[in-house]
Coordinates of all heavy atoms in Angstrom, one line a residue:
Chain Q
D4 N 27.2 -16.1 15.5 CA 28.2 -16.4 14.4 C 27.5 -16.8 13.1 O 27.9 -16.4 12.0 CB 29.2 -17.6 14.8 CG 30.0 -17.2 16.0 OD1 29.4 -17.2 17.1 OD2 31.2 -17.0 15.9
Y5 N 26.5 -17.6 13.3 CA 25.7 -18.1 12.2 C 25.1 -16.9 11.4 O 25.2 -16.8 10.2 CB 24.6 -19.1 12.6 CG 23.6 -19.5 11.6 CD1 23.9 -20.4 10.6 CD2 22.4 -18.9 11.5 CE1 23.0 -20.8 9.7 CE2 21.5 -19.2 10.5 CZ 21.8 -20.2 9.6 OH 20.9 -20.5 8.6
F6 N 24.5 -16.0 12.1 CA 23.8 -14.9 11.5 C 24.8 -13.9 10.9 O 24.6 -13.3 9.9 CB 22.8 -14.2 12.5 CG 21.6 -15.0 12.8 CD1 21.4 -15.5 14.1 CD2 20.7 -15.4 11.8 CE1 20.3 -16.3 14.3 CE2 19.6 -16.2 12.0 CZ 19.4 -16.7 13.3
M7 N 25.9 -13.7 11.6 CA 26.9 -12.8 11.1 C 27.5 -13.3 9.8 O 27.8 -12.6 8.9 CB 28.1 -12.5 12.1 CG 29.0 -11.4 11.7 SD 28.1 -9.8 11.4 CE 28.1 -9.1 13.0
N8 N 27.6 -14.7 9.7 CA 28.1 -15.3 8.5 C 27.1 -15.1 7.4 O 27.5 -14.8 6.2 CB 28.4 -16.8 8.7 CG 29.1 -17.3 7.5 OD1 30.0 -16.8 7.0 ND2 28.5 -18.4 7.0
L9 N 25.8 -15.1 7.7 CA 24.8 -14.8 6.7 C 24.9 -13.4 6.2 O 24.8 -13.1 5.0 CB 23.4 -15.1 7.2 CG 23.0 -16.5 7.4 CD1 21.5 -16.6 8.0 CD2 23.1 -17.3 6.2
A10 N 25.2 -12.5 7.1 CA 25.3 -11.0 6.8 C 26.6 -10.9 5.8 O 26.5 -10.1 4.9 CB 25.5 -10.2 8.0
Y11 N 27.6 -11.7 6.1 CA 28.8 -11.7 5.3 C 28.5 -12.2 3.9 O 29.0 -11.6 2.9 CB 29.9 -12.5 6.0 CG 31.2 -12.5 5.2 CD1 32.1 -11.4 5.2 CD2 31.6 -13.7 4.5 CE1 33.2 -11.5 4.5 CE2 32.8 -13.7 3.8 CZ 33.6 -12.6 3.8 OH 34.8 -12.6 3.1
Q12 N 27.7 -13.2 3.8 CA 27.3 -13.7 2.5 C 26.5 -12.6 1.7 O 26.7 -12.5 0.5 CB 26.3 -14.9 2.6 CG 27.0 -16.1 3.4 CD 28.3 -16.6 2.7 OE1 28.4 -16.6 1.5 NE2 29.3 -16.9 3.6
E13 N 25.7 -11.8 2.4 CA 25.0 -10.7 1.7 C 26.1 -9.7 1.2 O 25.9 -9.2 0.1 CB 24.1 -10.0 2.7 CG 22.8 -10.8 3.1 CD 22.0 -11.2 1.9 OE1 21.6 -10.2 1.1 OE2 21.7 -12.4 1.6
A14 N 27.1 -9.4 2.1 CA 28.1 -8.5 1.7 C 28.8 -8.9 0.4 O 29.2 -8.1 -0.5 CB 29.1 -8.3 2.8
L15 N 29.0 -10.3 0.3 CA 29.7 -10.8 -0.9 C 28.9 -10.5 -2.2 O 29.4 -10.3 -3.2 CB 29.9 -12.3 -0.7 CG 31.0 -12.8 0.3 CD1 31.0 -14.3 0.4 CD2 32.4 -12.2 -0.2
K16 N 27.5 -10.6 -2.0 CA 26.7 -10.3 -3.2 C 26.9 -8.8 -3.6 O 26.9 -8.5 -4.8 CB 25.2 -10.5 -2.8 CG 24.8 -11.9 -2.5 CD 23.3 -12.0 -2.2 CE 22.9 -13.3 -1.6 NZ 21.6 -13.3 -1.0
A17 N 27.0 -7.9 -2.6 CA 27.2 -6.5 -3.0 C 28.6 -6.4 -3.7 O 28.6 -5.7 -4.8 CB 27.3 -5.6 -1.7
F18 N 29.6 -7.1 -3.2 CA 30.9 -7.1 -3.9 C 30.8 -7.5 -5.3 O 31.3 -6.8 -6.2 CB 31.8 -8.0 -3.1 CG 33.3 -7.9 -3.5 CD1 34.2 -7.2 -2.8 CD2 33.7 -8.6 -4.6 CE1 35.5 -7.1 -3.2 CE2 35.1 -8.5 -5.0 CZ 36.0 -7.8 -4.3
D19 N 30.1 -8.6 -5.5 CA 29.9 -9.1 -6.9 C 29.2 -8.1 -7.8 O 29.4 -8.1 -9.1 CB 29.1 -10.4 -6.9 CG 30.0 -11.5 -6.3 OD1 31.2 -11.4 -6.2 OD2 29.4 -12.6 -6.0
E20 N 28.4 -7.2 -7.2 CA 27.6 -6.3 -8.1 C 28.4 -4.9 -8.1 O 27.8 -3.9 -8.6 CB 26.2 -6.1 -7.5 CG 25.4 -7.3 -7.6 CD 23.9 -7.1 -7.2 OE1 23.5 -6.0 -7.1 OE2 23.2 -8.2 -7.1
G21 N 29.6 -4.9 -7.6 CA 30.4 -3.6 -7.7 C 29.9 -2.6 -6.7 O 30.2 -1.4 -6.9
E22 N 29.2 -3.0 -5.7 CA 28.8 -2.1 -4.6 C 29.7 -2.3 -3.4 O 30.2 -3.4 -3.2 CB 27.4 -2.4 -4.2 CG 26.3 -2.3 -5.3 CD 25.8 -0.9 -5.4 OE1 26.1 0.0 -4.6 OE2 24.9 -0.7 -6.3
A23 N 29.9 -1.2 -2.6 CA 30.7 -1.4 -1.3 C 30.1 -2.6 -0.6 O 28.9 -2.6 -0.3 CB 30.6 -0.1 -0.5
P24 N 30.9 -3.6 -0.2 CA 30.4 -4.8 0.3 C 30.0 -4.8 1.8 O 30.8 -5.0 2.7 CB 31.6 -5.8 0.1 CG 32.8 -4.9 0.1 CD 32.4 -3.6 -0.5
I25 N 28.8 -4.4 2.0 CA 28.2 -4.4 3.3 C 26.9 -5.2 3.3 O 26.1 -5.0 2.3 CB 27.9 -3.0 3.8 CG1 29.2 -2.2 3.8 CG2 27.3 -2.9 5.2 CD1 29.0 -0.7 3.5
G26 N 26.7 -6.1 4.2 CA 25.5 -7.0 4.3 C 24.9 -6.9 5.6 O 25.5 -6.7 6.6
A27 N 23.6 -7.2 5.7 CA 22.9 -7.3 7.0 C 21.8 -8.3 6.9 O 21.2 -8.6 5.9 CB 22.2 -5.9 7.2
V28 N 21.5 -8.9 8.1 CA 20.4 -9.8 8.2 C 19.7 -9.4 9.6 O 20.3 -8.8 10.4 CB 20.7 -11.3 8.2 CG1 21.4 -11.7 7.0 CG2 21.6 -11.7 9.5
I29 N 18.4 -9.8 9.6 CA 17.6 -9.6 10.9 C 17.1 -11.0 11.4 O 16.6 -11.8 10.6 CB 16.5 -8.6 10.7 CG1 17.2 -7.2 10.4 CG2 15.6 -8.5 11.9 CD1 16.2 -6.1 10.0
A30 N 17.3 -11.2 12.7 CA 16.8 -12.5 13.2 C 15.8 -12.2 14.4 O 15.9 -11.2 15.1 CB 18.0 -13.3 13.8
K31 N 14.8 -13.1 14.5 CA 13.9 -13.0 15.6 C 13.7 -14.4 16.1 O 13.4 -15.3 15.3 CB 12.6 -12.4 15.1 CG 11.7 -12.1 16.3 CD 10.4 -11.3 16.0 CE 9.7 -11.0 17.3 NZ 8.5 -10.2 17.1
D32 N 13.7 -14.6 17.4 CA 13.6 -15.9 18.0 C 14.4 -17.0 17.3 O 13.9 -18.1 17.0 CB 12.1 -16.3 18.0 CG 11.2 -15.3 18.7 OD1 11.7 -14.7 19.7 OD2 10.0 -15.2 18.3
G33 N 15.7 -16.6 17.0 CA 16.6 -17.6 16.4 C 16.3 -17.9 15.0 O 17.0 -18.8 14.4

Side-chain angles (χ1 to χ4, degrees):
Chain Q
D4 298 72
Y5 171 80
F6 290 115
M7 191 57 87
N8 189 49
L9 289 182
Y11 181 74
Q12 299 306 317
E13 290 299 305
L15 288 176
K16 291 182 197 168
F18 190 97
D19 287 345
E20 293 186 14
E22 299 272 358
I25 302 151
V28 301
I29 293 176
K31 190 175 186 180
D32 302 328

